[in-house]
Amino acid sequence: MKKMFILSVCFIGAMSLASCSMEFKGRSAGNDYCDCKEAGDILDIAKCKKDVLKEHKENLKDKEFKNAFWESASNCE
């Protein structure tokens, strides 16, 4: 029973670390960038995209984040 508890805790810990990865954060930010298309007119869309880029300025220096961000942003429909 104790082993099962330890395995469960380890599994939950691993999952939470995976969701906090730079790739996950990059995809999430890329989705935010895509959501800007619903901001209204073209100036509002541009401001929204600028704000997303500004918010993630430091993260965009990370290669894993940047690749995931632009991959996600390029898949906007």
Side-chain angles (χ1 to χ4, degrees):
M1 190 68 154
K2 189 174 182 179
K3 284 185 181 182
M4 191 64 143
F5 174 75
I6 291 172
L7 288 174
S8 297
V9 170
C10 289
F11 178 74
I12 292 170
M15 292 302 291
S16 64
L17 286 176
S19 68
C20 294
S21 72
M22 291 305 278
E23 181 179 0
F24 178 81
K25 290 178 183 179
R27 290 191 190 283
S28 177
N31 290 336
D32 292 345
Y33 189 87
C34 286
D35 291 343
C36 287
K37 68 182 176 188
E38 299 170 8
D41 67 11
I42 193 162
L43 293 176
D44 291 335
I45 292 170
K47 181 180 181 325
C48 177
K49 288 183 175 185
K50 177 186 167 196
D51 291 343
V52 170
L53 291 172
K54 192 174 181 181
E55 178 182 346
H56 298 286
K57 180 180 177 180
E58 290 301 315
N59 288 334
L60 283 163
K61 294 177 183 178
D62 180 85
K63 184 178 179 180
E64 185 180 359
F65 180 94
K66 182 173 70 173
N67 289 341
F69 176 87
W70 289 116
E71 181 182 334
S72 180
S74 70
N75 291 328
C76 296
E77 292 181 7

